[in-house]
């Protein structure tokens, strides 16, 4: 089985972001960037499939500016075999990303495409589903378990009512949730080794995909602030406050 | 603008959040609800009672993302918007349908700012994006918790549509969490437990407090990862978004990703040993102390108070 994993470089999830005062966006200059956490789980899943002899090659792709090479290197250090950067400095919408990935699927013919279920910057949760549609493949989003059963995958998904298990014929698209696995930390020797793995850079503009945004972002603003509350000294006071809230609800 | 809205359901019942979604979609124009299920009739009947629904379309068929996207595509003609809840179903289906129709979707909408202007949170709710969607067809998901529910009392006509929908993916098994606590997404009171609750037994204490107050019970990712609580109790960036009148957070630090799920709560109360915990700082009211001492006493005290109010 050949696996294509798509990874995104985002503001590190531990960074407390700052919204620019002019409403133009979130400050990203001078901010620590790293691989989107969900993408890490996707890479780890691919590497585990390779380690258990169920995948032969893992190709990792990222779409973004030149420094996105860093997250490809992280994936190569974790165990992916080769990398592709589709370089663009423009922020692309998820639909354009999915179209670029679909072009790559046409070239690479992976049996499985693994992605993170969402990116922690735009929180869109679109790309895997879109890619599945564009390549006419079945999808399993929010995966917490992936098992290969003959020519099919059995994927357990985290859904609002609990979990459900789907059977998907290959080729298919799967998006990773956080409980899928525990991503390994790349050790220094792994990182050194990754530098000698093939990594090609191609221009996103060369794929014949219309990359122009469809939506017009007008403004990015901070959320309303909550007013700070207070601590109470006694349990009786706390309980009385809860009871008062409940009474108010019942009165309405 | 007329809207085709996909209705969520579980175990043969219409999702309680549907009344809120009808309110959200109703902000754009007349709403037709689509029910796709093995047995859509009882769900469609419930959907038809919601105020503001113009008609209900009922389709018998599978509910994988592929099947739902194909069904919606077949029904989409004549609508200016095809919408769903930002639930696990809506998130699965709407982007797939959008790519099929070559439309860029707008998802997790928390406010409608104009006929084609929407507000959605990004960065785990730490920023709000306002955008205009100039496309001829709007593919949207709404966060139910951000909208007030419509009333009942309607008797919209129900139309059964008959067509067969294929899906390469097949549902093998559904694993449901057995619980009799209210729906998290629409509950008026929610009790949340953190990893410091320490065990699944510890969570029974949290559930007991929930019962006392008729509240839904949620958890942090750390508590779910540890196996103390089921995954569908997770509240936050990758879990459920709640907007109760009262959220009581017990032994929860208040990580950004957890706060992402509770910003819509009207009041937040916290119980924590650490007065410096971010959630304590953010809470309207906090009680500093050990949850294992406080929660049993709190249950007793609340029992006493409600007894007093009933007899008094
Ligand atoms: C990509 C990503 C997505 C995530 N999504 C989510 C999400 O959706 N939801 C979510 O919740 N988290 C999410 N997380 C995890 C999040 O970052 C935190 O790790 C998690 O919320 C912490 O859970 P906690 O508050 O239970 O644990 P901790 O942070 O360990 O806090 C425990 C708290 O309990 C208090 N405490 C300890 N003992 C007691 C006691 N005896 N009595 C009272 N208080 C006590 C401590 O003072 C502390 O405040 C995500 C993380 C990432 C990277």
């Amino acid at each position: 089985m050949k696996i294509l994993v798509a990874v995104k470089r985002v503001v590190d999830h531990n960074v407390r972001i700052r919204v620019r005062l002019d409403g133009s966006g979130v400050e990203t200059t001078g901010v620590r960037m790293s691989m989107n956490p969900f993408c890490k789980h996707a890479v780890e899943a691919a590497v585990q499939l390779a380690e258990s002899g169920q995948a032969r090659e893992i190709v990792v792709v990222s779409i973004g500016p030149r420094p996105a090479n860093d997250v490809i290197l992280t994936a190569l250090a974790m165990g992916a075999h080769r990398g592709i950067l589709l370089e663009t400095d423009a922020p692309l919408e998820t639909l354009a990303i999915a179209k670029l990935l679909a072009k790559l699927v046409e070239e690479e013919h992976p049996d499985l495409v693994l992605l993170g279920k969402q990116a922690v910057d735009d929180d869109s949760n679109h790309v895997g589903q879109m890619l599945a549609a564009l390549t006419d493949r079945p999808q399993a989003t929010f995966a917490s378990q992936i098992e290969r059963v003959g020519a099919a995958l059995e994927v357990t998904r985290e859904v609002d009512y609990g979990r459900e298990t789907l059977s998907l014929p290959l080729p298919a698209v799967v998006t990773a949730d956080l409980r899928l696995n525990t991503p390994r930390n790349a050790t220094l020797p792994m990182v050194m080794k990754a530098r000698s793995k093939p990594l090609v850079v191609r221009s996103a503009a060369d794929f014949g995909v219309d990359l122009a945004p469809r939506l017009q972002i007008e403004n990015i603003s901070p959320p309303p602030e909550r007013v700070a509350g207070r601590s109470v000294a006694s349990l009786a006071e706390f309980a009385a406050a809860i009871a008062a809230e409940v009474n108010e609800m019942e009165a309405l | 603008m007329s809207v085709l809205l996909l209705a969520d359901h579980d175990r043969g019942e219409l999702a309680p959040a549907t009344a809120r979604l009808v309110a959200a979609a109703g902000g754009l124009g007349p709403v037709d609800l689509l029910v796709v299920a093995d047995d859509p009739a009882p769900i469609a009947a419930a959907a038809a009672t919601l105020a503001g629904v113009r008609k209900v379309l009922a389709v018998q068929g599978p509910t994988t993302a592929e099947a739902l996207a194909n069904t919606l595509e077949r029904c989409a003609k004549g609508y200016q918007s095809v919408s769903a809840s930002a639930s696990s179903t809506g998130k699965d289906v709407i982007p797939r349908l959008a790519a099929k129709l070559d439309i860029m979707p707008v998802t997790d909408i928390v406010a409608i700012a104009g006929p084609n202007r929407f507000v959605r949170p990004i960065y785990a709710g730490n920023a709000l994006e306002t955008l205009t969607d100039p496309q001829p067809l709007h593919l949207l998901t709404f966060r139910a918790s951000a909208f007030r529910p419509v009333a009942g009392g309607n008797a919209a006509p129900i139309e059964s549509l008959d067509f067969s929908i294929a899906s390469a993916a097949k549902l093998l098994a559904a694993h449901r969490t057995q619980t009799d606590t209210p729906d998290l997404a629409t509950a008026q009171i929610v009790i949340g437990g953190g990893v410091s609750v320490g065990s699944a037994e510890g969570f029974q204490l949290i559930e007991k407090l929930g019962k006392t107050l008729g509240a839904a019970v949620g958890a942090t990712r750390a508590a779910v990862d540890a196996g103390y609580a089921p995954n569908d109790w997770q509240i936050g960036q990758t879990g459920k978004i709640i907007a109760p009148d009262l959220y009581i957070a017990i032994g929860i630090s208040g990580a950004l990703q957890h706060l992402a799920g509770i910003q819509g709560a009207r009041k937040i109360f916290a119980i924590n040993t650490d007065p410096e915990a971010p959630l304590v700082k953010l809470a309207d009211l906090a009680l500093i102390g050990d949850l294992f001492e406080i929660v049993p006493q709190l249950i007793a005290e609340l029992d006493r108070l409600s007894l007093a109010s009933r007899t008094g």
Side-chain angles (χ1 to χ4, degrees):
Chain A
M1 177 159 78
K2 178 173 171 179
I3 304 178
L4 180 70
V5 190
V7 298
K8 184 176 186 185
R9 175 178 179 264
V10 297
V11 172
D12 186 86
H13 65 272
N14 288 316
V15 170
R16 187 172 273 279
I17 58 121
R18 210 170 53 75
V19 177
R20 288 194 205 109
L21 291 174
D22 64 1
S24 65
V26 166
E27 193 53 72
T28 53
T29 41
V31 171
R32 190 150 70 97
M33 307 290 282
S34 62
M35 192 194 299
N36 177 44
F38 295 91
C39 301
K40 269 201 169 167
H41 292 271
V43 174
E44 178 64 33
V47 174
Q48 288 185 10
L49 284 166
E51 283 173 343
S52 64
Q54 298 177 83
R56 151 179 74 74
E57 189 185 18
I58 303 167
V59 182
V60 53
V61 53
S62 189
I63 302 173
R66 190 56 75 107
N69 267 339
D70 290 353
V71 297
I72 298 179
L73 277 171
T74 304
L76 293 175
M78 289 172 73
H81 299 107
R82 63 185 167 91
I84 305 170
L85 174 69
L86 304 190
E87 190 179 2
T88 169
D89 286 329
L92 299 185
E93 285 178 351
T94 51
L95 185 60
I97 299 282
K99 286 179 178 180
L100 287 169
L101 292 175
K103 292 283 182 192
L104 216 54
V105 167
E106 251 174 54
E107 287 182 15
E108 296 278 349
H109 302 289
D111 304 285
L112 173 61
V113 186
L114 274 165
L115 308 91
K117 77 164 181 181
Q118 77 190 66
V120 296
D121 49 5
D122 56 39
D123 278 331
S124 287
N125 198 333
H126 296 164
V127 175
Q129 296 88 313
M130 290 174 159
L131 178 63
L134 295 173
T135 55
D136 201 18
R137 292 174 171 211
Q139 74 191 46
T141 50
F142 330 143
S144 62
Q145 204 181 324
I146 304 173
E147 244 174 279
R148 175 126 193 226
V149 182
L153 290 181
E154 285 187 14
V155 181
T156 300
R157 315 174 52 226
E158 293 201 355
V159 293
D160 287 350
Y161 69 73
R163 290 171 299 125
E164 67 180 31
T165 306
L166 296 182
S167 167
L168 308 179
L170 290 169
V173 177
V174 175
T175 73
D177 214 325
L178 299 174
R179 275 177 282 277
L180 180 57
N181 51 43
T182 308
R184 67 198 66 197
N185 280 318
T187 59
L188 194 60
M190 289 154 82
V191 175
M192 297 308 287
K193 202 172 145 204
R195 299 207 171 270
S196 61
K197 291 184 179 178
L199 197 175
V200 298
V201 178
R202 299 167 67 178
S203 170
D206 290 348
F207 284 80
V209 170
D210 175 14
L211 302 177
R214 305 283 185 84
L215 306 175
Q216 296 151 7
I217 310 286
E218 289 173 22
N219 164 54
I220 310 282
S221 59
E225 287 216 19
R226 295 189 82 96
V227 277
R230 63 191 175 94
S231 286
V232 288
S234 78
L235 186 127
E237 205 181 326
F238 195 72
I242 293 175
E245 289 295 329
V246 174
N247 286 338
E248 197 181 315
M249 281 174 224
E250 279 168 2
L252 285 175
Chain B
M1 171 185 328
S2 62
V3 184
L4 179 64
L5 178 68
L6 179 67
D8 278 354
H9 54 82
D10 186 33
R11 280 184 276 200
E13 281 181 32
L14 185 70
T18 312
R20 293 165 183 263
L21 297 162
V22 169
L28 300 174
V31 179
D32 293 350
L33 268 176
L34 174 67
V35 176
V36 185
D38 283 338
D39 178 16
I43 305 164
T49 65
L50 294 175
V53 172
R54 189 171 60 178
K55 71 175 173 198
V56 178
L57 305 175
V59 176
Q60 201 238 318
T63 53
T64 61
E66 270 167 279
L68 289 175
N70 292 344
T71 308
L72 281 166
E73 189 181 12
R74 301 228 356 207
C75 299
K77 219 189 200 103
Y79 293 98
Q80 285 80 50
S81 171
V82 179
S83 300
S85 168
S87 61
S88 56
T89 303
K91 285 178 171 162
D92 201 22
V93 173
I94 291 295
R96 185 174 178 111
L97 176 66
K100 276 166 88 80
L101 300 172
D102 195 27
I103 295 288
M104 176 65 199
V106 182
T107 51
D108 282 289
I109 293 167
V110 292
I112 298 171
N116 58 354
R117 280 181 83 216
F118 305 104
V119 182
R120 64 180 299 270
I122 55 175
Y123 285 93
N126 290 297
L128 292 168
E129 182 176 78
T130 304
L131 55 85
T132 294
D133 175 6
Q135 300 168 109
L137 177 65
H138 306 291
L139 269 92
L140 315 173
T141 68
F142 297 101
R143 277 200 185 167
S145 58
F147 299 88
R148 292 259 144 234
V150 295
N154 192 6
I158 299 172
E159 223 173 88
S160 287
L161 302 177
D162 200 17
F163 42 76
S164 71
I165 297 289
S167 171
K170 300 268 181 291
L171 178 66
L172 295 181
H175 319 277
R176 280 191 175 74
T177 303
Q178 294 301 334
T179 171
D180 50 0
T181 55
D183 177 49
L184 254 183
T186 50
Q188 261 194 313
I189 309 175
V190 175
I191 318 283
V195 70
S196 53
V197 170
S199 62
E201 295 71 49
F203 260 89
Q204 285 171 7
L205 190 64
I206 305 292
E207 279 182 79
K208 194 168 170 209
L209 176 59
K211 285 242 163 59
T212 308
L213 291 167
V217 178
T220 63
R221 175 190 169 196
V224 175
D225 284 0
Y228 306 158
N231 68 277
D232 52 311
W233 285 9
Q234 184 172 316
I235 296 168
Q237 183 180 23
T238 75
K240 297 216 167 120
I241 307 292
I242 60 169
D245 287 323
L246 177 62
Y247 179 51
I248 307 178
I250 302 179
I252 296 178
S253 62
L256 290 176
Q257 295 87 358
H258 184 74
L259 300 182
I262 64 169
Q263 277 156 353
R266 194 173 59 79
K267 286 272 173 73
I268 298 174
F269 287 11
I271 299 171
N272 201 307
T273 44
D274 178 9
E276 298 301 317
L279 198 71
V280 170
K281 301 229 144 159
L282 174 115
D284 297 285
L285 201 69
L287 183 59
I288 303 305
D290 183 343
L291 73 94
F292 296 102
E293 279 169 32
I294 290 173
V295 176
Q297 292 178 37
L298 185 59
I299 294 169
E301 181 70 7
L302 287 168
D303 276 341
R304 199 181 60 77
L305 284 174
S306 76
L307 248 150
S309 73
R310 250 172 249 151
T311 50

